[in-house]
Amino acid sequence: MKRYLDQLHQALAGRNFMLLNAISIAGTVVGMGLAYLFQPIAIRFLSPADYGILAVLVAVWSILTIPLGAITSTLAREMSARESDGAAVNFLLRKYLQKFGIYSAVVSFLAAVAAFLSGQPLLALLFLGLPAAVLVAIGSAWLQARERILELTIVQNGQNLLRVMALLLFLFLGWGLFGATLALPVYALVMLVLLLAFLLPRTREQKHVDIHLRSVFGMLVILQLAQIVLLYEDLFMVQYFLGPVQSGVYNVAEITAKILFLLAGAIGLVLYPKVAKLAGSALRKEGMRLLLIGMALLVPVFIGFQLVAQP
């Protein structure tokens, strides 16, 4: 399997921007389908009230994990700028796997203990899965920087598939809301094991590089947290004022409305490492061309939304 992926990556390496976008967008569509599948399964096995609670917990998980995109973006930028020096890129991957692994494990454990002692055991369960999600984000940065879009798409879709499989297993065992919540940290942990099995044999050669990214990480995390609040504040308000049943219904509609946002992210996966390598006049000329192509890919989706939208 590893040999096949390497050969396929080499075949795609010389392909153009449009093909890589096609792979990323197709993978995002599949991922959205798997994310949708999570909802009817949960609705089928859980009571309306439990599903509403689960919707809020999933939103909390998103708030905890989506800002990890700041880690992926920052590291992908630094790695892309050093793409010609594979040993340096490998060093950055392993350095931040170790560094963030330790920090996130300590912080997550303390947060889980605090949540459990405050009477929120399900929330504590989510905190325990956070270190795995952090390390998956770092591994994804290496894939993005090396423009291994196929493997990156597999990782993203694999997470959705593993989440559905874990949900089915735990609900089949009769674990109810606890099992549905447990599916979130479990899929992240399983994906981390699979991703490390792929990455570590390919990153043995290393060369020390000195970079300082603390301030950049901080700024990006703040910006992404603000974005997440914007995306999920309505769900929390529905939960607070109308209760768990109505928040569950609202959550299904909200997922549909986020399709355009997710497709834009799929294009960004391909666009980001290419732009990170550009500088000076090349950045203004080639960067603008790539940006216009990305916008053109989203226009048909936007028009489609306008045509089928209901007042």
Side-chain angles (χ1 to χ4, degrees), residues 52-218:
I53 295 172
L54 177 63
V56 173
L57 288 170
V58 170
V60 171
W61 177 254
S62 297
I63 290 173
L64 292 173
T65 56
I66 291 181
L68 299 179
I71 297 175
T72 303
S73 298
T74 304
L75 288 178
R77 184 193 67 183
E78 295 297 327
M79 292 177 180
S80 296
R82 297 170 173 82
E83 187 196 22
S84 60
D85 190 349
V89 174
N90 296 342
F91 172 80
L92 291 176
L93 170 68
R94 288 179 174 250
K95 172 185 176 180
Y96 284 99
L97 281 175
Q98 181 179 29
K99 189 173 184 178
F100 277 96
I102 295 173
Y103 290 165
S104 63
V106 172
V107 173
S108 298
F109 177 76
L110 294 176
V113 170
F116 184 81
L117 293 178
S118 63
Q120 299 292 334
L122 295 179
L123 184 59
L125 200 59
L126 295 184
F127 282 126
L128 291 177
L130 191 57
V134 171
L135 297 183
V136 169
I138 295 172
S140 296
W142 186 90
L143 294 174
Q144 187 177 5
R146 303 307 296 262
E147 296 192 44
R148 302 189 73 124
I149 302 302
L150 177 63
E151 291 89 337
L152 183 59
T153 302
I154 291 174
V155 168
Q156 293 177 330
N157 288 337
Q159 291 184 81
N160 287 319
L161 178 60
L162 288 171
R163 184 168 72 164
V164 171
M165 292 173 63
L167 176 69
L168 284 170
L169 174 62
F170 296 146
L171 290 179
F172 177 77
L173 293 174
W175 292 0
L177 179 60
F178 170 79
T181 307
L182 181 63
L184 299 174
V186 164
Y187 88 75
L189 180 59
V190 174
M191 176 51 64
L192 173 62
V193 173
L194 296 174
L195 184 57
L196 290 179
F198 176 83
L199 290 176
L200 294 182
R202 292 169 170 77
T203 58
R204 292 193 178 98
E205 183 184 359
Q206 301 176 59
K207 186 176 77 174
H208 187 274
V209 180
D210 284 322
I211 58 172
H212 303 283
L213 302 175
R214 185 176 301 175
S215 60
V216 178
F217 279 137

Side-chain angles (χ1 to χ4, degrees), residues 291-306:
L291 182 60
L292 290 174
I293 292 174
M295 292 174 61
L297 291 172
L298 287 175
V299 169
V301 181
F302 177 77
I303 293 175
F305 263 71
Q306 298 303 312

Side-chain angles (χ1 to χ4, degrees), residues 240-257:
Y240 180 79
F241 289 107
L242 301 180
V245 175
Q246 294 300 320
S247 65
V249 175
Y250 183 84
N251 181 59
V252 175
E254 185 183 40
I255 290 173
T256 304

